[in-house]
Amino acid sequence: MPEGPALLWFRRDLRLDDNEALRAAVARGRAIVPVFILDEAAEGRWAPGAASRWWLHGSLAALARELAARGARLVLRRGDSREHLLALAAETGARAVCWNAIPDPAARRRDAALHATLAAQGREVVVGGGALLRDPETVRNQSGGPYRVFTPFWRHCRHGELELPVAPAPRTLVAPRQWPRSDTLETWALRPSLDWAAEFPASGEPGEAGARRRLADFIVRAMDAYGTDRDRPALDGTSRLSAALHFGELTPRQVWAAVEAASRESGVMPRSRGAQVFLDEVGWREFAHHLLLHFPDTPERPLRAEYASFPWRREAAAQDAWRGGRTGYPIVDAGMRQLWRTGWMHNRVRMITASFFVKQLLQPWADGAAWFWNTLVDADLANNTLGWQWSAGCGADAAPYFRIFNPVLQGEKFDPAGEYVRRWVPELARLPARLIHRPWEAEPAELAAAGVRLGGDYPRPIVDPREGRERALRALETWQRSRRAAGAGKEPA
């Protein structure tokens, strides 16, 4: 066997199957030293938030168990990833270092510098993929630039054959003669010290095995009805694979291959509508990462630069009410309470709560994005940025600012019986369906019969339903006039 092991650097690829870096390390016939480095400083303000740290703990624990079953260990280090990786390479005499690329611009810059240093030391470096269906560097429009509209982007991505998942993980891994020092996962204290995370397991099971089970269950139980049920928050109609995809417990090509296989087995070719809509949602994830790579400032600045001057209001009381699920709008409050208690929120409700925040309340979209970043177990910088800029009307493929979700009508459309609201806003549970999304319209006798005290155990709306929309439109009109007066040119749509 060649001298010197291969270092296998795990990051957002916490799986063994369909892992190009692992396959490369095994192919070199050397002992393998798996390592994960918690480098919060390198990620800056986009280090994992409190909720996603809970998921990361569970995912690392699951990965360590999978490695142990194959005769290996997961070496844990905390601090500067470059320093630790170079030190481990020197300590172990590693002849090769293997990792999978992260499709973030900052990570790519760090990786390029590290690659050069390791190569100068005479070590082989192998960088795999798998985080996306296509390398975003290779996806360009006809002018050679990045796409800013989803439909032509996705048409381009779907043209031609997609890569299939690589071979499954080997049953055994060769261990080095001596294992390097490792931290223990418990000393990292990734899980919240309070009882905040008590209901987080409802958001999913961290780890590769849990991701595979969730995907298989979704395909059998909910995929064919996904086209309609995905918008009904009271139903378990979504895949809930977002955290698994973010942490790389599952790859999008594994998802694609599983959907294709299920379609062939069922004889539904081409795919059912539900399967196609689901794969289109995978496409939106691709689009989000494409945008982040080519427009790396968008987590903090609007893609449509003119919106940097939009007159947002930053009001602590309004933001506190929104974060705490006390806005007086039941569908908004249900979503914010679900988020706080479980670390997850239904995607339709994410759009409703975000629209309410930036339009009815006129709060800066970046403030809402920061709250989601800290409280979602599936917090993903690309997805979070795309979603919030879409809601604020300032990003790619965005909803125009004047398109304002009415939270009452959205609740009545997507939660018509009020089941979702009854689950997360139990003080309204006894209201009839015709009133549960507009309790302020109930007669005093109806409120009394339901045990509801508006302004007491449940708040009145913090902004009048009609006034919220009109205020947003006035802000848009005032801003447009000021830009015209300043000679800013054509107004945004």
Side-chain angles (χ1 to χ4, degrees), residues 60-290:
L60 289 172
L63 178 62
R65 290 193 296 271
E66 293 288 343
L67 288 168
R70 291 165 170 80
R73 300 179 187 175
L74 180 60
V75 176
L76 300 175
R77 295 287 178 92
R78 187 172 197 166
D80 188 286
S81 55
R82 181 180 184 278
E83 291 180 4
H84 278 299
L85 209 61
L86 293 175
L88 280 166
E91 179 184 346
T92 61
R95 302 305 305 161
V97 183
C98 307
W99 68 75
N100 290 310
I102 296 176
D104 290 354
R108 291 198 173 205
R109 288 193 298 270
R110 294 195 302 268
D111 288 0
L114 180 60
H115 191 302
T117 301
L118 290 166
Q121 294 177 349
R123 306 185 200 277
E124 182 184 13
V125 178
V126 182
V127 181
L132 299 172
L133 293 169
R134 303 281 194 201
D135 182 347
E137 288 281 15
T138 68
V139 180
R140 300 280 179 164
N141 61 26
Q142 292 182 345
S143 302
Y147 285 94
R148 294 169 62 123
V149 178
F150 173 73
T151 300
F153 165 83
W154 191 223
R155 186 185 304 119
H156 179 112
C157 288
R158 291 176 59 187
H159 180 71
E161 294 294 321
L162 294 171
E163 288 188 43
L164 295 175
V166 302
R171 293 180 179 274
T172 60
L173 297 173
V174 179
R177 294 190 182 92
Q178 183 175 354
W179 285 100
R181 175 194 66 79
S182 174
D183 295 345
T184 64
L185 192 54
E186 293 299 332
T187 62
W188 284 2
L190 295 175
R191 293 177 294 188
S193 57
L194 304 175
D195 62 356
W196 173 37
E199 294 186 57
F200 278 17
S203 62
E205 176 189 355
E208 182 177 12
R212 286 197 301 264
R213 283 191 291 269
R214 182 70 191 183
L215 174 60
D217 173 72
F218 167 74
I219 288 173
V220 171
R221 177 186 48 78
M223 185 175 71
D224 286 344
Y226 182 80
T228 54
D229 289 357
R230 71 189 179 113
D231 278 325
R232 300 289 295 274
L235 302 178
D236 187 14
T238 64
S239 72
R240 296 220 184 183
L241 290 171
S242 48
L245 287 166
H246 171 74
F247 286 103
E249 301 164 349
L250 194 69
T251 67
R253 60 191 180 194
Q254 285 176 301
V255 172
W256 196 279
V259 171
E260 293 280 74
S263 297
R264 285 193 299 270
E265 290 173 8
S266 65
V268 181
M269 294 296 288
R271 313 172 195 95
S272 68
R273 179 177 179 274
Q276 186 57 60
V277 172
F278 175 61
L279 291 181
D280 288 346
E281 290 301 306
V282 176
W284 276 100
R285 178 180 181 272
E286 294 276 315
F287 186 47
H289 283 278
H290 173 84

Side-chain angles (χ1 to χ4, degrees), residues 45-46 103-106 109 146-148 285-308 312 364-370 373 380-398:
R45 66 172 299 189
W46 306 119
D104 290 354
R109 288 193 298 270
Y147 285 94
R148 294 169 62 123
R285 178 180 181 272
E286 294 276 315
F287 186 47
H289 283 278
H290 173 84
L291 292 170
L292 180 61
L293 179 69
H294 293 291
F295 305 100
D297 292 336
T298 50
E300 298 178 7
R301 297 182 179 88
L303 179 63
R304 300 176 68 179
E306 65 271 16
Y307 276 90
W312 307 109
W365 65 267
D367 289 4
W373 180 259
D380 181 277
L381 189 59
N383 291 340
N384 201 43
T385 301
L386 174 64
W388 275 93
Q389 291 207 9
W390 182 90
S391 294
C394 62
D397 239 328

Side-chain angles (χ1 to χ4, degrees), residues 46-63:
W46 306 119
S52 57
R53 285 162 65 91
W54 174 89
W55 191 283
L56 176 61
H57 176 103
S59 191
L60 289 172
L63 178 62

Side-chain angles (χ1 to χ4, degrees), residues 398-466:
Y401 186 82
F402 57 78
R403 184 176 298 161
I404 301 171
F405 281 180
N406 182 314
V408 177
L409 298 181
Q410 289 280 308
E412 291 175 339
K413 180 176 180 180
F414 297 112
D415 186 33
E419 298 170 74
Y420 179 71
V421 166
R422 295 179 211 283
R423 168 70 177 85
W424 296 107
V425 190
E427 57 266 43
L428 301 180
R430 293 166 57 192
L431 280 175
R434 64 181 177 83
L435 292 171
I436 197 163
H437 293 290
R438 48 180 83 220
W440 55 88
E441 293 185 3
E443 297 294 337
E446 293 173 311
L447 292 172
V452 176
R453 293 182 303 111
L454 285 184
D457 51 6
Y458 188 72
R460 297 182 183 277
I462 62 173
V463 59
D464 179 85
R466 183 175 300 175

